[in-house]
Every structure is written in structure tokens, then in C-alpha cells.
Amino acid sequence: MQPYELSVAAAAQEIRERRLSPVELVDSVLDRIEQVEPHVAAYVAVFADQARRTARDAEREAAEGSYRGPLHGIPVGLKDLIDVVGVSTTASSRTRAGHRAASDSTVAASLRAAGAILIGKTHTHEFAYGLTTPQTNNAWDHGRVAGGSSGGSAVAVASGAATFALGTDTGGSIRVPATLNGVVGLKPTYGLVPRHGVTSLSWSLDHVGPITRTVDDMALVLTALAGYDPRDPASVAVPGVGYRPRPDPDLTGVRVGVPRNYYFAHVDAEVAAAVRRAIAQLEALGARLIDIDIPMTRYIQATQWGLMVPEATAYHESTLRTVPELYQADVRILLEAGELMGAGDYLRAQRARTLIRDEWARILEEVDVIAAPAVPMTAVPSGQETVTWPDGTVESVSDAYVRLSSPANVTGVPALSVPVGRDTAGMPIGMQLLGRPFAERTLLLVGHAYERTQPARSLAPIA
């Protein structure tokens, strides 16, 4: 096995026990980037020289006994919305040409303190306003979409071009690409991971979270990221907890809610079957399955868009009026649409969110976790704009991908996506686990228990 193939947990053990140096790991990942990047275009920029210098420093620290923890010497890719001092943050947009961050974002500073090594900035759908990341190709089939908006981060992790990565999630932008590329993604509870220094799409819906190869890796990275920062008005001070799940896969006593409505409607048959098999596996591990009804489903997407569109337009007001031609057409149309929404529409969306959140809180008193498909279909061919369901319903690809992920953004609850198989074309399928606010530990426990019953997942091939 090559060093770039190691998970965070495995690489950390090798580095801690002095069988692998950070320099060897970084060199291996950089070599892998040279191999795969022409095929997938995951990165906006790769910082090879800087990464090697930092790796040499990390190796010296380890030799001197100054080991910082499980992220010491581990290469990370950061979505190009996340500020790193002295490095450009382009948001994959021409409107940000020449922009350089004056200071670290909170999450970049946390990873730096933990010893992680920045390997590069990954592509996003422009300003995170989309679900495909058109400049990046799927890790498993380069003729299919990567998913978005954190497509570059997911593809980098899935292809071995980063050991882990960070993304952002406003309507599913971590979980969608993680699912479509066969890796693990987490949208934390709103307020758990600080967003200071991260370019916003919609401040009341934005989250920052990790993309990793395993659930165990997810726990290690989340431990480094979670914390209070007063510079983020939404940040919440949560008592320190250990996120790493216990090694045994016993789920006795865990109540898993299985939706009777919404989450399995207009879902590809292979996706539904794979997720139901995974849910059955949770039951075999001791979980108790409870059928539930998802409330207020007709209002979820309208509420998501009613919040996101005007907030995004407000953020971009100045550049939209001065250099509109620099935006990609799809993003510009959405930003201009936001100017047509009135204050009354936005306030109604806020009221609807409160009602939806209250109803979800009631359901999550009855179950510990909700298990459902992460997205309704696997990665579609690049350029495909619509999907037609068996009953004749036509849905845009973007609406389809966001439909099952947006409830967690509207409510702010944590949501974890875990790979659960492949369709007949070999494309990854994911299960989504949703839980109570700040109950990430429970989600990781359930996801880890399922993962331990499955064969080890391989990285995506180069071609």
C-alpha cells in the first residue's frame, strides 16, 4: 500500500510510531495529484513547495517528541472558500481574481495547530452556488458530475489526492459530492464548527465540515474543528466531548427512524434498495427500527430557497451591480433572481423554518437517528440537466440532488453521509444519518458500526 492510500487514522499511527514520516506522506500525495489531476481537476492550486517545507518541520517536531496529535503531518485539501493567510481565496470565481487572505480562517488555524499540512485549495461550484462543480470530474467516472458545491474536496479524497479535506454545506454541498464519490461527509450541527474566514453563500444555512474516507477519520478531524469562536455570530459553546466511536459495532438500544414518506419518494430503485439493505444491517447490529413520518415536506425546499436566495444576493450586492459579467451564467441568474424577492417572502421563509425545526425536534425525541438516502440518484453524466422519474415527473438535476439534503440545513441538525454500495454502473450510493443538534457522537457511532461490517473501500482508479 502506498502512503497516499492510508486513511487519517492509519497514517497517524504510522507517523506516531515513526514508521512513516510526514515528508514521505506528503510526497506520496503530491505524486498522486500529478497522476490524477489531469483527469479530475479537483484543485484550484497545489502548494507543493510549501507543503514539503511544512512536512519537514512536522518530521523534525515528531523526532523531537513534539507530536501534536492524530492530524500531525496529515495532508489536507481546503475548499477554496476557506481563508489561509497569504493564499488566494477565489471561490472558483473571476470576481475574486487577485484576492489574498490577510489571516487564517478559524478552521484553517485549528488544522494548522493540530499539525495538518495544507496540500492545496480545491474547486467549488462558483461561490458554492450549485450542486455539480462543473470544472471537476467525478473520481469514479470522469464523464460524470462530481457533485457540489464541494466537488473538488470530495474528488480529492476519493482519488487519493488528499488524505482528508474540508468543504462547506448550505443545502447539501458536503454530503452530495461525498456520496457521489464514495466517501464520508459530515454537515455538523449549525454553530458547532466556526465559519469565521469562510466565504458565505447563505449565512443562516452555511456549515463547514470534513470529507474523509472513513467514519473513524471523520471523528478525528471533527475533534480538531469543533469549538467556540465569538467572531462567528452563530458559534455555540459546547462542552468538549470525544467524537471517536467505540470499536465494537453493537447498536443495542439505538432507535433508528425510517421515513415512510419524502426520503424514499422519487428515488432511484438501486439507491433505495442499497439504503434499505444498510438499514437492515443496522437492525442486525441491535438497532430498533421505528417507522416515522417526515413533517411539512411540501414546505422544505421552498423554505430552503426562500432563505438562501435573498441571503446570497445580499452578500453579492456590490459585485453583482459593478461586475455582473464576471459571474458564471447559472450563478448570475440565481443572484439576480434574489433581487426580485421581497422582505415578506424572506420573513415567511423564516417563520416556516421555525415551524419545521420544531416538528423535527419532536420527531428526534422519539428516535436517536434518522436513516435515509443521501441523494436520490447516483452521479449523472456531465451536462445532464434533468431527470425523469418513472411516474413521468421531470426534475432538474440540482433540485433532485438538494431535495434530500436540504432538510438538515433548514433545521440545522447534523447529517452524516456514509457509502453503502454501488449501482450496476459502478457508481457510489450513500446513506444519510440525521440526528439531534450536537449529537454528532451518536451519528458517528451508528455510521462507524455499519462501516465496520463492510469490506474496506478502495480509492478511485486513475482512469
Side-chain angles (χ1 to χ4, degrees):
M1 176 178 286
Q2 298 298 314
Y4 72 81
E5 299 178 83
L6 296 171
S7 66
V8 173
Q13 182 174 351
E14 294 294 302
I15 289 172
R16 183 175 63 251
E17 297 179 1
R18 307 291 300 278
R19 293 192 295 267
L20 175 70
S21 77
V23 171
E24 291 171 328
L25 178 56
V26 165
D27 281 342
S28 180
V29 171
L30 288 172
D31 288 344
R32 180 66 173 178
I33 289 172
E34 287 190 7
Q35 293 176 323
V36 302
E37 187 63 7
H39 304 281
V40 299
Y43 282 97
V44 176
V46 176
F47 310 124
D49 293 341
Q50 176 183 321
R52 289 191 173 102
R53 286 194 301 270
T54 308
R56 287 194 292 271
D57 291 340
E59 184 171 341
R60 185 185 67 254
E61 288 179 356
E64 294 172 350
S66 299
Y67 180 69
R68 301 193 191 189
L71 300 188
H72 187 114
I74 306 298
V76 58
L78 296 183
K79 184 177 184 178
D80 199 23
L81 301 179
I82 299 171
D83 280 354
V84 176
V85 63
V87 174
S88 63
T89 304
T90 73
S92 292
S93 176
R94 292 180 296 171
T95 68
R96 283 289 189 91
H99 170 82
R100 286 189 178 274
S103 60
D104 277 341
S105 59
T106 305
V107 290
S110 295
L111 293 178
R112 190 191 300 275
I117 297 174
L118 177 64
I119 208 80
K121 286 289 201 77
T122 59
H123 270 302
T124 171
H125 203 119
E126 186 178 27
F127 282 106
Y129 215 168
L131 273 298
T132 58
T133 317
Q135 63 273 58
T136 301
N137 301 322
N138 189 281
W140 291 93
D141 183 336
H142 306 152
R144 294 178 184 259
V145 298
S149 61
S150 306
S153 290
V155 168
V157 174
S159 61
T163 308
F164 74 99
L166 297 193
T168 64
D169 193 311
T170 304
S173 289
I174 288 173
R175 291 158 290 153
V176 171
T179 297
L180 299 187
N181 290 280
V183 289
V184 180
L186 174 69
K187 185 204 77 64
T189 304
Y190 187 73
L192 180 65
V193 176
R195 302 168 303 171
H196 171 74
V198 179
T199 302
S200 177
L201 172 58
S202 172
W203 53 79
S204 73
L205 298 168
D206 290 341
H207 303 69
V208 180
I211 297 174
T212 62
R213 294 181 199 152
T214 71
V215 177
D216 195 22
D217 286 0
M218 182 64 67
L220 295 174
V221 178
L222 182 62
T223 300
L225 297 178
Y228 175 68
D229 185 344
R231 295 173 297 180
D232 177 358
S235 186
V236 177
V238 179
V241 298
Y243 290 107
R244 200 166 191 185
R246 60 178 184 256
D248 64 278
D250 183 18
L251 295 182
T252 300
V254 177
R255 301 168 299 170
V256 175
V258 182
R260 281 185 286 239
N261 65 328
Y262 193 73
Y263 277 100
F264 286 95
H266 287 155
V267 170
D268 178 81
E270 289 188 85
V271 170
V275 173
R276 290 196 183 278
R277 286 193 298 270
I279 292 172
Q281 183 62 49
L282 298 181
E283 184 177 33
L285 293 171
R288 180 160 64 97
L289 305 186
I290 300 173
D291 290 335
I292 61 171
D293 292 309
I294 303 298
M296 301 183 68
T297 57
R298 63 182 292 189
Y299 302 108
I300 291 173
Q301 281 188 281
T303 300
Q304 166 81 18
W305 286 102
L307 296 167
M308 181 175 67
V309 172
E311 289 182 0
T313 298
Y315 182 86
H316 289 272
E317 182 177 11
S318 176
T319 48
L320 184 62
R321 293 180 178 177
T322 56
V323 287
E325 70 279 1
L326 295 183
Y327 288 99
Q328 297 297 320
D330 60 331
V331 172
R332 178 178 172 180
I333 288 169
L334 288 170
L335 293 174
E336 290 175 340
E339 295 188 311
L340 303 177
M341 294 187 67
D345 296 323
Y346 181 66
L347 292 174
R348 278 186 286 273
Q350 292 281 19
R351 291 176 63 191
R353 170 164 53 190
T354 299
L355 295 173
I356 294 169
R357 184 185 291 151
D358 289 347
E359 287 297 305
W360 273 69
R362 179 185 57 78
I363 289 175
L364 288 167
E365 290 177 355
E366 302 171 2
V367 299
D368 301 302
V369 170
I370 296 172
V375 293
M377 59 205 184
T378 56
V380 300
S382 300
Q384 181 176 326
E385 296 183 354
T386 62
V387 57
T388 302
W389 299 107
D391 65 358
T393 299
V394 178
E395 187 176 27
S396 75
V397 167
S398 291
D399 282 349
Y401 281 146
V402 79
R403 174 163 38 91
L404 304 186
S405 54
S406 61
N409 296 86
V410 171
T411 59
V413 303
L416 175 74
S417 58
V418 181
V420 294
R422 305 281 186 85
D423 66 8
T424 52
M427 301 309 296
I429 296 169
M431 174 173 64
Q432 184 174 197
L433 301 170
L434 306 99
R436 301 186 194 100
F438 305 106
E440 278 79 1
R441 187 177 182 183
T442 301
L443 296 187
L444 294 168
L445 166 69
V446 175
H448 182 64
Y450 169 79
E451 187 176 73
R452 281 178 58 86
T453 68
Q454 304 302 303
R457 293 186 295 272
S458 61
L459 295 176
I462 294 175

